[in-house]
Amino acid sequence: MGVSQPGLDYDEFCLFATANYQDQGTNTLVPPLLDRFDIVVESKHPGANIASVIGQSSARENLLRHADSEGAFLDALLRPRNGRKAVDVEPLHRGFAKVVHERCGVVLLSRAQRQAVRQEIAALTMTLEANALLRMVLAELSFCCKYGQKRSSEVCDEGCHYTNYLCYEVRNCASNRLPGSVYRYAQALAWWCGSPHVDVEHIRTILPYALAHRTQWRESYLLAREHERRQEPLLLHAARHATAAVLHRFHEQRHDILASLGTAARVLDGDDLPPPQGDHPLYSEIRRDLGLEPV
């Protein structure tokens, strides 16, 4: 994603947002805005031992400050607005990278190196098992047997046949941005681990961080998790608990799910086969996509 101004393109950037824990001084972001963030993590207190070391570091505030580099970058950003020729910022990047290396001993990647890493990450494909797990999660977060899909204004009935699945525990529907977030970060994790493919473990690891800020849970689901022993915020803990539940169902039904997805692919290719049958919401989604259930 990129934004631009006349004469200057920003084709490479990361967007970070920080917020305090929920209290009277913290305003809640609306769900559509939260959905535009791929993942959420907690920057928690480091503990007494590390905190005491941090407190003794007097120069930490200015460690990455460099007046010459700051001025050069500012001039490069302002030039296009003033009608002057845009400055190539890559030499400025290299100059600041040298400063960081001299001060901190940290080697920053060049633009070419960053592009090479992105290409390697994007080339990693997902295993059939990982793909099936992600589909199970998406089905449970979006399916509703009564209303056709999850909507925050429509609550599932008590005693619903699918009470034991996440579709009963959530109030909103998974967005189309969710699978993209999970896949991109799972690819990056697989690359970091040196794996040739994105597997189930990579998907399982990323899912809680992609779900925690997006999912609107039933109050009863959060109340059941609220006083459980945990090392993270409630919403992240709830998302991790939900991920574990789906993963358990995946391991129980793995063979049947993979066979059903294979059968669906063959039906789409024209084979005359009986449609997949099963209790998980994914089976209903498969039959609907095959035109065997109402849309």
Side-chain angles (χ1 to χ4, degrees):
M1 186 173 83
V3 295
S4 64
Q5 294 175 354
L8 184 62
D9 291 329
Y10 303 92
D11 59 353
E12 182 184 38
F13 70 91
C14 294
L15 177 62
F16 296 88
T18 63
N20 295 326
Y21 299 109
Q22 188 64 46
D23 56 30
Q24 293 182 350
T26 303
N27 294 320
T28 301
L29 296 177
V30 296
L33 181 57
L34 286 173
D35 187 39
R36 283 156 172 78
F37 290 91
D38 285 324
I39 62 169
V40 61
V41 295
E42 180 186 27
S43 178
K44 64 175 65 178
H45 188 268
N49 297 320
I50 297 177
S52 67
V53 175
I54 294 174
Q56 297 172 33
S57 177
S58 59
R60 66 187 185 278
E61 291 86 356
N62 297 316
L63 192 60
L64 296 179
R65 295 297 303 272
H66 187 249
D68 291 343
S69 293
E70 291 170 9
F73 277 113
L74 181 60
D75 182 62
L77 294 173
L78 292 176
R79 278 197 179 191
R81 297 179 182 177
N82 297 333
R84 293 179 289 174
K85 182 180 178 181
V87 174
D88 181 9
V89 296
E90 185 57 27
L92 304 180
H93 291 162
R94 291 195 295 268
F96 183 65
K98 183 178 179 181
V99 173
V100 173
H101 182 252
E102 291 173 350
R103 291 183 178 181
C104 310
V106 176
V107 178
L108 301 182
L109 298 180
S110 67
R111 182 182 183 88
Q113 290 172 323
R114 294 192 300 272
Q115 291 175 337
V117 168
R118 291 193 185 93
Q119 291 172 358
E120 292 178 10
I121 291 174
L124 294 179
T125 57
M126 190 184 298
T127 65
L128 292 176
E129 290 82 2
N131 183 281
L133 173 61
L134 183 55
R135 291 189 188 208
M136 286 184 68
V137 172
L138 294 174
E140 292 200 28
L141 292 175
S142 60
F143 174 80
C144 181
C145 64
K146 182 175 182 179
Y147 300 115
Q149 71 159 72
K150 297 298 300 182
R151 299 181 184 89
S152 58
S153 60
E154 298 169 340
V155 181
C156 293
D157 295 332
E158 296 293 335
C160 173
H161 176 72
Y162 294 92
T163 298
N164 293 325
Y165 298 103
L166 294 185
C167 54
Y168 184 76
E169 303 293 357
V170 300
R171 296 187 292 112
N172 63 324
C173 183
S175 77
N176 289 328
R177 292 185 178 89
L178 173 61
S181 298
V182 175
Y183 191 29
R184 284 193 299 272
Y185 274 79
Q187 282 180 307
L189 178 60
W191 177 87
W192 182 261
C193 295
S195 302
H197 302 286
V198 177
D199 60 28
V200 166
E201 185 62 18
H202 301 130
I203 298 294
R204 180 203 66 80
T205 301
I206 294 299
L207 272 169
Y209 303 101
L211 292 176
H213 59 300
R214 288 179 161 107
T215 309
Q216 300 173 34
W217 301 102
R218 272 180 177 251
E219 184 178 357
S220 58
Y221 187 80
L222 287 181
L223 288 175
R225 310 274 82 78
E226 186 174 12
H227 298 295
E228 292 176 342
R229 188 177 183 88
R230 51 189 166 89
Q231 297 292 323
E232 52 201 357
L234 176 58
L235 292 180
L236 183 54
H237 174 71
R240 196 178 302 282
H241 186 277
T243 298
V246 180
L247 184 65
H248 178 73
R249 288 190 281 275
F250 170 76
H251 286 311
E252 286 186 331
Q253 305 178 43
R254 173 183 172 277
H255 177 76
D256 293 336
I257 289 288
L258 291 174
S260 296
L261 291 172
T263 298
R266 293 177 60 187
V267 171
L268 286 174
D269 288 338
D271 290 356
D272 185 14
L273 297 171
Q277 299 291 333
D279 191 60
H280 192 277
L282 182 57
Y283 290 98
S284 181
E285 298 276 12
I286 291 173
R287 292 192 296 272
R288 184 190 65 181
D289 292 339
L290 292 176
L292 301 176
E293 289 191 1
V295 176

